[in-house]
Amino acid sequence: MKYLILGAGLALLGVAHAGHEFPFYPSFYPQEITIEALAPQAAAQRIAKGTLHAYAGDELAAKPDPAKTGTVVSLGGYVVVTFDRRAPQFADRSARCAAARSLKPALAAGQVWHPYPITPYHADYLHHADRAEAARAAVAAQHVAKPPGKLEIFDVAVLAAQAGARYNGWLGPPWLRQGWFHAYLLLAPAVSDAGARARIEEVARRLMRGEHRSLRERIERERELVALLQSGCERIVLGYTVRREHYGTEYSHGVENVGYDALDGLASAIFPRTVKLRDFPWNGWLNVAAPAAPSSAWNPVAGGFGGAFGRLVWWALGDPAFLPSPHGAGWIENRLSASDTKTGSPLAVPEDALVPEPGSGRLAPAGRGRTATTRIVYRVRNSAFHDGTPMSVADLLYAYAFAAAWGAGDTADPGVAQATALARERLKGVRLLRVETESLAFGEDKLSYEVPVIEVHLDAEGAGDAATIAPPWTIVSWHLLALLEEGARRGHFAFSAAGAARLGLPELDPVRNAAIVRRLGELARELEERAHVPAALSRYVDAGEARQRYRRLREFHAAYGHWLVTNGPYMLSRWDGTKAVLEVFRNPTYPKGLGSFDVYAAPLKAHVPRVERRDYGAEVQTEVEWLERLGRDVRIVRGSFAKRLAERLATAGPPPAPVCRYLLVGPDGAVVAAGVARADATGTCRLEFARPARRAGGSGDRLVLAAVLEGNVANAPIKIVPWQH
Amino acid sequence: MDKEQMQERRAFLKQFSATLGAAGLGAAGIGTTAHAAVKPKGSIPTRPVKAGHITFLTGPAELLGGPGQRGHILAQEEINAQGGLLGKRKIETIFADEAAGTDSNVKELRRMKLAEKIELFTGIISSGNTPALGPVAEELKILTLFNDGCTDFLFDKAVPNPKYAFRVTNIQSADGVTAAIGAATHWPKVRRIASLQPDYSYGRNVFEHFSLALGKLLPGIQVVSESWPKLGTTDFTSHITKILSVNPDLLIVGVWGGDYVAFYKQALRYGLFDKMKVATTLAFGGSPHAIGKDHPDGVLAGVHANYHFLYPSAERWPINRSFVERYYKRFKEYPSFEADGAYTALYLYKQAVEKANQLVGGWPDDEAIIAMLEGAGIDAPAGYLYIRADNHQGYKDAVTGLSKNLPGYDFPVWDPASVVSIPIRSITAPPNWPKPGQGHNESTAAADWIKKTWPTAKA
């Protein structure tokens, strides 16, 4: 099979035919992003002056002027008490659980009483809202101000990062942002009873494998897991903290269209893809800051880029296959689209599909007899790397080869192993189907893209989340990975923090570790001289291409002084020890343009003003929010969906309809029914659920529901209604 | 400006019958209202008139398409508030995003006509799209009022004998020529010319027509520098330093939107605006509030030769005052030329329907409406708009002016005393002038006409 070097072309050919604009600008609004560390007081002063646009990760020192400052609120961390099991008064479970209910006064100012491990910021909160409400209400009459154990705050971002180490452009696991998973990460380690722990692991495993036949069953399993995690009261959640981050909104010097993530705040994927300087229709110089200097390595392979500073850098440089839905339950397609998914058992894996060999990374044909449960077909939106190298299918394949080589075997790196464990376990084969050409033309001015269509066979349940497990995508080129491999093999660094700790080596940092930067320079020259092609790619890459790639990489390093070359929307222009300056990659090959993610900038909500009983279940009336532009300002307006649909004045196509999500909970806490219903043109959701047969009159049931707009489930207003059938 | 200079400029403009400034010469007419009530004749159906409108709703060109959409919406709401067309048929519009690209736009127009059964098509900003959609509109026999997409090529080559397609905004070649006349008017002594143009068709069109016109207007001009930043350029400093190094008298700039903003903010750091005059074709082409208060005064701030909300002035042309007030009340912003174009297009249609009804009674068919559109004149916010019968192209006086930060606005506007208004017949090729390929190979009929008929100023 011929593997093509993929290029995109821009033909701006029009003579006098085309007009006053080429209306597609690759990448995102700011032309430059400067990131620095600032203490909260200095940040407050700079925002007031208009020389700082946003402050990620912490509260400002001074109360911000609401007329000139905007605020985003996201989940900070869990406030947790872990009981000392050696203390005799807490050896008994019931004593611990009773003590837990008396600890509300132990919360500090600004901490929210919420003794349940799934918060309104989690996308699956609806599934637990009734239990959370009951937990909040179950406050003991006698209060204890001093917690009888160790009180800690577990940062949710840190919790998730520990469990979901990133590998290259693969984020995951698919359930990484689910509340039940955070509850598991937080509470399972404190469970001492082996039997309880085994049961917890089994339920968690079943959730991770998607072993449920219906939404109701899945919700039941999630609730069961949380109940098991909480049952021993060895570690209890008292509540949570929120992260308030601020940005300037002044007419000229401020920013707008500020996207943020319900869990990660401003230091998230959506922020650099939406934020816009108010004085610039596009372009401009964005200044953002974080409370602390970068502390973890800028490691593009596995993990790395911790802390607010690191995440601000990474999410601008790195372009994962899928992005976390900032206020939703799942993932947004970014550089891939999963266009065809089949699930079933068994599917034959084509003989010529490639399977990466553990330990060596060799890409071998699958051969006969291999099967999988799921086949996903991806369309890949490639682009040039920042060193100018056109992307090739070899780059996509090498991500699999690298994962197999360094995730398994004698020389496996523990960080790579953990980050790629799920992908390596589930992947059954990869195959290039064809390369298509897409174009975006305005008259004779045209952008052309070559789009590889790649099928991946997996053992996985469920179409949506499975697409994120082992996508055919890479953020870094094969020749950079090959260079880094050489460095790791020669003992100059390790690929992860865990690997570095085990081997007593520095973690890979191709920017800030001067010794590594220097060593990579020596290696890159050597690899260019011998035109090194990794063994896994020997059939797909020739020496000429290899030599050219290393030359480009070295030229990039000569110009910019580092080796962090990606294919993301921004590139690292310079790091001077205190500030990172990122330059927009407005390259015609980059497939996402200005405004691609604007719909996520304002998490619009739907509301439920009325619920009425019907024979079939319930009729739910909804209202929706939409944006109204007022010059440079935008405000959120709320009204009936029917009215919005009837006007239809400002949108291309009908506005999105609200979706009602609900569960009916019995008096014993069991989920009797669950479902999803899209509102009709009048804004009405029809929820169909049968009266439970066992209870005539159905007393004691509660209907828990929310109307959700555009997938914005985080912090969706929830109604809990006593339900009489 | 002193008295002698003013007289010099008036003499210069006289050859174009152009006017300068609020205190200058020129017609002070007040047209008939566009909203005079007519009593319809015959039976009028009550089903709505479905219109399709494709414009940029996302991406960088939303800077242009957004105001266009809002102009359309305002006109639709006003017409519907009076009961609709002929008092009976309200307008319903289906919008689509032009950012989807030419191929998608063509498909969408077909869908709108064949599936949605639209009776009218409006919108379109990109000159890459009108030459593609114009033939489709003719093929589908859908009455079309393009709001922009101003390339000469549409009626020069793509649809040389239109029946269904019309366009309300000034033709693109007028853009560069208007900037040339504006520059020659305000700065008649400039001779050394530098150019900064986006490196694709628009930039080449601007440079060609600007140079051609200025070369006729001012003796002995010399282009001393050409800069062609590629698409996506954000750092203009190398271009700025190159321009400064050749010490030009005048810089003509065709970059637009966020590129223009990045350019002028970078140029301010180099003091460029203190060292030369600067003329633009599209600096004020988007929503007026899109440009910041740090924009320098005295730049020839183009509006694509079409419309700025301060001209004609409120006192001299109440239609504009009323439009601006109503637009601001509805959308809390000031209208751009795209807003005026889209708004006027719908009223032009309304006027044509009313006139046709008076002649034929009942709901007029497209033939009758087209007959009323050809040769139509309408009193628009921008002034008088005339639809030429031979090519269905809209013509209105071309305008440009110098930027100024005035109290009362959070953004720069035009210095009212600086506005140059040019009768459009002075800068566009007349009816039946040979089009490209008919005896000449110029890029536009306008270029050929200027070369052959404009006198060259003597030193």
Side-chain angles (χ1 to χ4, degrees):
Chain A
M1 177 175 296
K2 185 179 175 185
Y3 283 84
L4 304 177
I5 295 173
L6 304 165
L10 170 63
L12 290 173
L13 297 174
V15 182
H17 304 171
H20 40 66
E21 72 304 307
F22 189 75
F24 178 83
Y25 275 68
S27 192
F28 305 111
Y29 292 101
Q31 70 192 75
E32 185 180 276
I33 303 176
T34 298
I35 304 168
E36 59 187 307
L38 282 178
Q41 183 154 10
Q45 290 166 353
R46 293 259 315 259
I47 286 187
K49 277 190 208 161
T51 59
L52 182 71
H53 298 109
Y55 190 55
D58 208 345
E59 188 68 77
L60 290 178
K63 197 164 164 18
D65 179 357
K68 291 185 180 174
T69 319
T71 304
V72 300
V73 182
S74 54
L75 183 61
Y78 290 106
V79 184
V80 165
V81 167
T82 305
F83 285 92
D84 182 356
R85 290 195 295 273
R86 295 167 300 181
Q89 67 270 39
F90 296 124
D92 178 64
R93 175 195 159 276
S94 57
R96 294 195 297 270
C97 294
R101 290 192 287 276
S102 66
L103 290 175
K104 186 175 178 183
L107 289 171
Q111 294 175 350
V112 179
W113 169 247
H114 186 88
Y116 196 83
I118 299 176
T119 74
Y121 291 85
H122 287 105
D124 52 340
Y125 178 65
L126 178 73
H127 303 165
H128 305 264
D130 59 314
R131 288 187 167 174
E133 183 187 70
R136 284 195 297 273
V139 177
Q142 297 284 343
H143 292 163
V144 172
K146 189 173 177 305
K150 187 177 169 191
L151 191 146
E152 303 170 89
I153 296 177
F154 281 78
D155 188 292
V156 168
V158 171
L159 199 66
Q162 284 166 357
R166 171 192 55 79
Y167 162 67
N168 196 335
W170 303 1
L171 298 181
W175 47 85
L176 178 65
R177 294 164 56 85
Q178 298 291 325
W180 63 260
F181 186 59
H182 291 175
Y184 167 76
L185 293 173
L186 183 68
L187 300 177
V191 175
S192 60
D193 180 81
R197 187 64 193 260
R199 179 74 188 131
I200 286 168
E201 293 298 332
E202 187 203 336
V203 175
R205 186 187 56 77
R206 295 186 75 182
L207 279 169
M208 292 172 192
R209 292 204 71 92
E211 291 176 9
H212 44 262
R213 290 163 297 182
S214 66
L215 175 62
R216 187 198 66 79
E217 197 173 305
R218 189 181 99 210
I219 296 173
E220 271 281 285
R221 191 153 291 140
E222 290 175 10
R223 290 161 68 100
E224 181 191 3
L225 175 66
V226 175
L228 285 169
L229 288 165
Q230 291 184 297
S231 62
C233 294
E234 290 165 288
R235 174 178 286 164
I236 54 160
V237 173
L238 293 191
Y240 60 85
T241 63
V242 294
R243 182 193 298 114
R244 288 182 203 284
E245 298 166 300
H246 304 278
Y247 57 93
T249 58
E250 195 273 337
Y251 184 88
S252 278
H253 302 302
V255 288
E256 58 187 355
N257 210 50
V258 177
Y260 69 100
D261 186 284
L263 301 181
D264 293 331
L266 292 178
S268 59
I270 203 65
F271 175 70
R273 288 166 175 79
T274 54
V275 67
K276 178 185 161 303
L277 290 114
R278 289 173 71 98
D279 239 18
F280 288 79
W282 60 91
N283 287 333
W285 301 270
L286 180 74
N287 296 318
V288 298
S295 54
S296 57
W298 288 5
N299 175 356
V301 172
F305 295 96
F309 197 121
R311 292 203 305 275
L312 284 169
V313 172
W314 176 246
W315 285 119
L317 297 186
D319 223 9
F322 298 88
L323 303 178
S325 174
H327 300 275
W331 304 85
I332 307 169
E333 291 180 348
N334 182 30
R335 299 298 293 270
L336 302 184
S337 52
S339 60
D340 183 20
T341 305
K342 292 195 167 85
T343 59
S345 176
L347 294 172
V349 177
E351 291 180 25
D352 60 343
L354 299 173
V355 182
E357 191 174 81
S360 72
R362 191 176 71 93
L363 296 167
R368 283 190 184 172
R370 190 176 271 259
T371 62
T373 63
T374 305
R375 169 182 175 265
I376 303 174
V377 175
Y378 297 89
R379 299 176 66 79
V380 182
R381 263 76 193 196
N382 64 305
S383 64
F385 294 102
H386 297 157
D387 63 359
T389 304
M391 207 160 164
S392 75
V393 175
D395 292 298
L396 303 175
L397 291 177
Y398 203 62
Y400 292 108
F402 186 101
W406 292 92
D410 297 335
T411 54
D413 177 276
V416 175
Q418 184 205 14
T420 61
L422 186 66
R424 287 182 293 107
E425 176 199 329
R426 305 276 183 100
L427 180 67
K428 298 300 169 193
V430 179
R431 187 167 72 138
L432 173 70
L433 294 179
R434 59 189 176 275
V435 177
E436 296 180 355
T437 301
E438 287 181 356
S439 61
L440 179 64
F442 293 91
E444 295 187 355
D445 294 331
K446 185 187 289 197
L447 284 165
S448 295
Y449 307 94
E450 288 185 341
V451 178
V453 183
I454 295 179
E455 71 174 0
V456 174
H457 283 82
L458 298 168
D459 274 343
E461 298 296 328
D465 289 347
T468 65
I469 292 174
W473 181 247
T474 183
I475 290 178
V476 288
S477 62
W478 72 251
H479 59 287
L480 178 57
L481 285 176
L483 173 65
L484 299 177
E485 285 183 299
E486 203 59 35
R489 284 196 193 101
R490 297 193 192 188
H492 298 320
F493 50 79
F495 279 127
S496 66
R502 190 175 72 181
L503 296 172
L505 292 173
E507 185 185 349
L508 166 64
D509 189 328
V511 178
R512 290 154 57 228
N513 186 312
I516 292 176
V517 172
R518 192 176 60 252
R519 290 286 168 90
L520 289 174
E522 294 158 6
L523 287 172
R525 189 183 316 118
E526 181 190 321
L527 295 187
E528 181 186 344
E529 280 166 6
R530 60 181 167 91
H532 169 68
V533 177
L537 297 181
S538 57
R539 290 176 50 206
Y540 313 116
V541 179
D542 63 36
E545 184 199 340
R547 191 168 281 123
Q548 190 180 55
R549 278 181 170 239
Y550 292 116
R551 184 175 315 125
R552 280 203 171 118
L553 187 60
R554 293 179 60 220
E555 286 168 357
F556 179 93
H557 168 255
Y560 294 100
H562 67 84
W563 300 95
L564 187 53
V565 176
T566 71
N567 55 10
Y570 288 86
M571 52 177 274
L572 181 63
S573 174
R574 63 183 182 279
W575 163 251
D576 65 4
T578 56
K579 288 186 187 175
V581 180
L582 312 180
E583 188 182 305
V584 73
F585 189 60
R586 255 194 235 305
N587 184 284
T589 66
Y590 189 78
K592 293 288 189 185
L594 298 185
S596 295
F597 294 96
D598 280 0
V599 69
Y600 298 100
L604 298 174
K605 295 192 175 28
H607 304 262
V608 175
R610 197 172 75 246
V611 184
E612 289 177 356
R613 285 165 185 72
R614 294 287 182 266
D615 289 341
Y616 54 79
E619 179 181 283
V620 178
Q621 196 57 45
T622 65
E623 287 183 347
V624 296
E625 294 177 352
W626 63 91
L627 295 176
E628 240 182 35
R629 185 186 292 271
L630 304 157
R632 281 197 179 189
D633 294 319
V634 170
R635 68 174 184 185
I636 294 177
V637 179
R638 173 176 160 175
S640 80
F641 178 66
K643 181 167 180 281
R644 177 98 172 103
L645 192 62
E647 286 179 354
R648 271 183 64 171
L649 285 182
T651 54
V659 173
C660 295
R661 302 181 180 212
Y662 68 94
L663 49 152
L664 186 67
V665 182
D668 56 354
V671 177
V672 173
V676 174
R678 183 175 295 274
D680 61 19
T682 67
T684 305
C685 292
R686 182 185 166 102
L687 311 188
E688 295 184 357
F689 47 85
R691 173 184 301 185
R694 64 180 186 280
R695 297 193 307 279
S699 61
D701 288 354
R702 281 168 304 159
L703 181 65
V704 184
L705 77 121
V708 174
L709 199 59
E710 300 193 67
N712 296 321
V713 286
N715 291 302
I718 291 176
K719 261 191 155 48
I720 302 176
V721 182
W723 200 253
Q724 197 89 7
H725 297 270
Chain B
M1 191 187 307
D2 62 26
K3 197 172 170 188
E4 190 182 323
Q5 281 176 317
M6 181 74 88
Q7 282 175 345
E8 229 178 77
R9 290 184 185 186
R10 285 188 180 141
F12 169 78
L13 286 173
K14 201 172 170 191
Q15 64 183 310
F16 295 101
S17 301
T19 59
L20 173 66
L25 305 172
I30 296 174
T32 54
T33 173
H35 312 299
V38 289
K39 193 170 177 334
K41 287 183 177 175
S43 170
I44 313 298
T46 56
R47 70 179 185 282
V49 170
K50 265 196 182 175
H53 187 102
I54 298 180
T55 192
F56 286 98
L57 301 177
T58 58
E62 193 276 337
L63 185 70
L64 302 167
Q69 185 194 39
R70 292 191 275 283
H72 179 99
I73 288 172
L74 181 64
Q76 176 177 306
E77 289 178 346
E78 290 176 353
I79 293 168
N80 287 350
Q82 295 165 23
L85 297 161
L86 299 179
K88 290 283 184 71
R89 299 192 71 194
K90 293 196 177 180
I91 303 172
E92 288 182 355
T93 303
I94 303 164
F95 291 100
D97 194 349
E98 196 174 345
T102 303
D103 291 345
S104 295
N105 293 332
V106 166
K107 284 185 190 147
E108 178 60 19
L109 175 55
R110 289 187 185 281
R111 190 198 71 80
M112 284 179 170
K113 168 68 176 173
L114 298 172
E116 300 280 357
K117 306 279 188 265
I118 59 170
E119 294 177 54
L120 171 70
F121 180 70
T122 64
I124 299 296
I125 301 291
S126 171
S127 286
N129 286 329
T130 42
L133 291 168
V136 175
E138 296 291 329
E139 174 208 325
L140 295 174
K141 297 184 171 47
I142 174 73
L143 183 57
T144 294
L145 296 175
F146 289 125
N147 293 161
D148 193 356
C150 55
T151 176
D152 299 53
F153 186 76
L154 171 63
F155 293 129
D156 274 359
K157 293 287 259 185
V159 189
N161 299 300
K163 178 172 178 183
Y164 291 91
F166 293 78
R167 183 166 59 193
V168 299
T169 41
N170 276 337
I171 205 165
Q172 188 179 3
S173 50
D175 215 359
V177 177
T178 298
I181 294 178
T185 302
H186 284 292
W187 310 306
K189 293 188 173 20
V190 296
R191 292 295 181 271
R192 293 170 58 79
I193 313 300
S195 167
L196 178 77
Q197 305 297 331
D199 189 14
Y200 57 92
S201 48
Y202 174 64
R204 286 186 277 278
N205 184 289
V206 165
F207 183 59
E208 179 195 355
H209 290 81
F210 177 86
S211 309
L212 186 59
L214 198 69
K216 293 282 189 176
L217 298 169
L218 299 177
I221 66 160
Q222 180 191 5
V223 176
V224 297
S225 169
E226 292 181 38
S227 295
W228 298 92
K230 300 280 180 209
L231 175 71
T233 294
T234 56
D235 185 355
F236 291 91
T237 51
S238 62
H239 299 290
I240 291 167
T241 53
K242 173 184 161 190
I243 290 164
L244 286 167
S245 73
V246 297
N247 200 26
D249 302 316
L250 168 72
L251 172 65
I252 173 67
V253 176
V255 294
W256 71 289
D259 295 342
Y260 176 68
V261 174
F263 159 73
Y264 90 68
K265 287 189 188 259
Q266 290 167 26
L268 279 171
R269 296 182 200 156
Y270 285 86
L272 180 143
F273 296 94
D274 300 323
K275 300 183 171 78
M276 65 193 73
K277 305 299 182 191
V278 178
T280 74
T281 49
L282 204 49
F284 283 9
S287 291
H289 62 260
I291 302 291
K293 270 290 220 196
D294 63 342
H295 184 274
D297 288 352
V299 169
L300 194 73
V303 291
H304 216 22
N306 274 286
Y307 167 83
H308 184 274
F309 76 96
L310 284 181
Y311 191 86
S313 67
E315 302 76 39
R316 299 181 72 192
W317 194 249
I319 295 172
N320 189 34
R321 178 184 61 208
S322 174
F323 167 65
V324 172
E325 284 174 355
R326 280 177 284 112
Y327 187 94
Y328 187 88
K329 186 176 175 190
R330 176 68 174 88
F331 299 111
K332 304 297 181 288
E333 66 179 43
Y334 291 94
S336 72
F337 79 88
E338 301 283 13
D340 161 71
Y343 178 85
T344 300
L346 213 49
Y347 270 103
L348 191 63
Y349 174 71
K350 173 179 182 286
Q351 177 183 269
V353 165
E354 289 169 352
K355 285 191 168 177
N357 166 261
Q358 292 296 300
L359 288 175
V360 303
W363 182 262
D365 62 16
D366 282 348
E367 296 283 344
I369 299 172
I370 288 168
M372 294 300 103
L373 283 171
E374 291 175 339
I378 189 168
D379 313 328
Y384 298 119
L385 171 70
Y386 165 61
I387 304 293
R388 222 168 75 182
D390 66 312
N391 64 358
H392 289 193
Q393 170 64 43
Y395 292 86
K396 59 177 175 284
D397 290 349
V399 287
T400 190
L402 298 179
S403 59
K404 193 170 178 70
N405 280 291
L406 292 177
Y409 299 104
D410 290 327
F411 46 84
V413 294
W414 275 353
D415 176 356
S418 75
V419 177
V420 177
S421 174
I422 309 160
I424 195 64
R425 62 154 173 81
S426 298
I427 60 171
T428 51
N432 303 314
W433 192 268
K435 295 174 181 174
Q438 297 172 352
H440 70 86
N441 288 322
E442 300 296 335
S443 62
T444 63
D448 184 60
W449 171 72
I450 291 172
K451 277 189 176 171
K452 287 176 178 162
T453 68
W454 281 28
T456 303
K458 292 185 174 42

